[in-house]
Amino acid sequence: MAVYPIRTFGDPVLRLPCAEVTEFDVTLRRLADDMLETMYDAPGVGLAANQVGVQKRMFVYDIGDGPGVIVNPVLSGHSGEWEYTEGCLSVPDLAWPIVRFAEVRVDGRDLDGQPLTIQGSELMARMLQHEVDHLDGRLLLSHLDRRQHKDAMRALRRRAMGLSDADSGDDREPVR
Ligand code: NI
């Protein structure tokens, strides 16, 4: 297994929708293993293929109940709303309170190409929505309100210039 470098904000691969997987072969299985290894190494609770530069519609996850993989996932149902502080391995050390659906259902395939449905609430639901967003070429930044987005861009610009967050007037605790 191998740990991939995780692509971060500014990398165009994060803005492109991933392609539907059609080959359920050993290459896909190896990619899933490597992505899990990369996710645990980070550490994070979910990782989409384009976060390691692969344009395949697949993500891996583990919110504490063991590893999981879903291929070609589509959000197929949702209910309620839940606000929680959310971060992303591709936008390191920043986090914002974000409202998402409280419960969701995701339909896709397992690594053998068999139908797979995952349902989850709260943290699980949040992770599922976050990862499906990645595969659609969307980062959590697209869920920020105007003010949050302005602050986020400022923090990211400062970082790109090599300035520390301590100078940005941002007193939020980094969480991911
Ligand atoms: Ni993310």
Side-chain angles (χ1 to χ4, degrees):
M1 296 209 280
V3 172
Y4 283 88
I6 295 178
R7 306 300 182 91
T8 53
F9 176 79
D11 191 319
V13 78
L14 297 171
R15 293 281 180 198
L16 296 169
C18 290
E20 195 96 341
V21 172
T22 53
E23 304 274 319
F24 294 83
D25 55 10
V26 67
T27 307
L28 190 69
R29 195 167 287 272
R30 196 172 302 131
L31 173 63
D33 284 345
D34 289 345
M35 283 171 57
L36 278 167
E37 176 116 339
T38 303
M39 181 189 79
Y40 286 126
D41 183 69
V45 298
L47 189 72
N50 50 344
Q51 289 184 278
V52 295
V54 178
Q55 292 295 112
K56 287 185 176 172
R57 196 168 175 89
M58 171 171 83
F59 68 78
V60 300
Y61 64 91
D62 186 347
I63 63 160
D65 301 329
V69 182
I70 187 163
V71 183
N72 298 339
V74 175
L75 201 66
S76 57
H78 63 81
S79 64
E81 283 188 345
W82 183 50
E83 185 182 272
Y84 196 77
T85 303
E86 182 173 329
C88 177
L89 294 175
S90 291
V91 192
D93 303 325
L94 294 170
W96 301 270
I98 292 176
V99 178
R100 289 194 188 260
F101 300 129
E103 293 173 10
V104 300
R105 177 189 149 118
V106 170
D107 291 327
R109 301 273 161 179
D110 66 16
L111 288 171
D112 296 316
Q114 297 305 305
L116 174 64
T117 293
I118 307 174
Q119 278 180 287
S121 60
E122 301 200 335
L123 276 178
M124 184 70 173
R126 180 164 297 265
M127 178 279 297
L128 292 169
Q129 291 166 87
H130 181 112
E131 301 311 326
V132 169
D133 269 359
H134 270 301
L135 298 177
D136 289 335
R138 246 191 337 262
L139 290 173
L140 80 171
L141 299 168
S142 66
H143 290 275
L144 302 182
D145 65 29
R146 262 175 101 114
R147 179 59 201 257
Q148 287 174 316
H149 198 267
K150 202 173 151 216
D151 288 350
M153 288 305 121
R154 186 160 174 263
L156 289 166
R157 260 198 315 275
R158 293 184 69 85
R159 187 163 305 171
M161 290 187 293
L163 300 169
S164 80
D165 291 341
D167 303 326
S168 72
D170 186 340
D171 57 1
R172 280 185 293 265
E173 288 286 312
V175 180
R176 66 173 169 182

